[in-house]
Amino acid sequence: MELTEIPEGFKALLPEEAERRADILSRMERVIRLWGYEPVLPPSVEFLLPFKAVDDALERLSFKIVDRKTGKLMAIRPDFTTQIARITASSFRNEEPPLRFYYRGSVFRDIDEDREFCQFGFELLGAVETEADAEVVAVVVSSDFIQDPKSAKIAPIKTIQNSNFFIITSCIIDKCRIIPAFIYRVRC
């Protein structure tokens, strides 16, 4: 191993790609703020248990480390949505829904391909189902989040219910391309 070598599946973004990513994220953040979404920045490391409780696959995908203070297993963030559910349940349980949050940052997964990637997403919590569906679709369609809306695929995800809030995730950034990821229970 050489001193300039990095683990497989990770990479440094050089100026051109770093600028492109920063521009995309900035544009996405401007649009999502117009819809009333507020930023949330979860920690990069959390206990593994909440990820495992949501989906066993998240446990398998996680880079794991042991907390020296508690002896508990921790995960380097494999997903944001689980963290947003935890934050909502612990810090916003007494807030009147709907709640609107967005986030951006690196996600880490112990897989064969890209093991670190940038994710931007937003969550609409506690809204009436049909209104939530309509808003999430409207945010994605009215923005330049996806480059070819005709090719967009909308896929259901597992429902996460926590303190009477339902999580709806919309889009992520992948290799500096904007692609739709998940929209909960959208009827086309």
Side-chain angles (χ1 to χ4, degrees):
M1 181 173 95
E2 295 185 31
L3 294 177
T4 58
E5 188 178 6
I6 61 173
E8 189 175 326
F10 295 91
K11 72 176 193 172
L13 296 182
L14 301 180
E16 185 177 329
E17 191 173 358
E19 284 290 333
R20 184 168 181 235
R21 177 178 289 180
D23 178 59
I24 290 169
L25 289 170
S26 178
R27 286 186 293 135
M28 292 172 72
E29 190 168 353
R30 276 194 305 274
V31 169
I32 202 71
R33 281 180 172 266
L34 292 174
W35 285 86
Y37 287 80
E38 298 178 291
V40 176
L41 184 57
S44 297
V45 176
E46 290 211 25
F47 290 114
L48 179 63
L49 189 58
F51 296 110
K52 182 179 178 179
V54 168
D55 189 342
D56 287 335
L58 289 176
E59 178 185 20
R60 287 189 306 277
L61 295 172
S62 294
F63 285 100
K64 298 168 196 76
I65 54 178
V66 177
D67 183 359
R68 288 190 332 213
K69 294 185 180 216
T70 65
K72 294 179 182 179
L73 274 178
M74 298 188 300
I76 302 172
R77 181 191 309 124
D79 179 68
F80 273 103
T81 299
T82 303
Q83 293 182 294
I84 301 301
R86 183 198 52 75
I87 289 169
T88 301
S90 63
S91 300
F92 295 95
R93 75 178 89 187
N94 296 323
E95 297 293 320
E96 191 67 32
L99 302 174
R100 291 171 175 84
F101 300 121
Y102 74 91
Y103 48 84
R104 67 187 206 178
S106 289
V107 172
F108 304 87
R109 295 188 179 165
D110 194 5
I111 57 177
D112 292 333
E113 307 95 45
D114 295 333
R115 299 166 82 190
E116 176 185 9
F117 54 93
C118 181
Q119 187 174 26
F120 180 101
F122 59 97
E123 313 287 346
L124 176 54
L125 305 109
V128 175
E129 184 177 333
T130 53
E131 292 173 14
D133 291 348
E135 181 173 319
V136 170
V137 171
V139 170
V140 173
V141 170
S142 71
S143 67
D144 61 355
F145 284 8
I146 47 180
Q147 284 133 357
D148 183 8
K150 292 179 183 173
S151 68
K153 291 184 171 63
I154 298 171
I157 61 169
K158 184 185 227 181
T159 304
I160 303 168
Q161 185 175 5
N162 203 334
S163 291
N164 297 319
F165 292 112
F166 291 88
I167 306 299
I168 299 171
T169 300
S170 61
C171 63
I172 63 172
I173 192 171
D174 176 42
K175 296 181 185 174
C176 289
R177 292 175 297 124
I178 308 304
I179 59 171
F182 307 114
I183 299 176
Y184 165 68
R185 299 189 76 180
V186 172
R187 289 166 293 284
C188 298

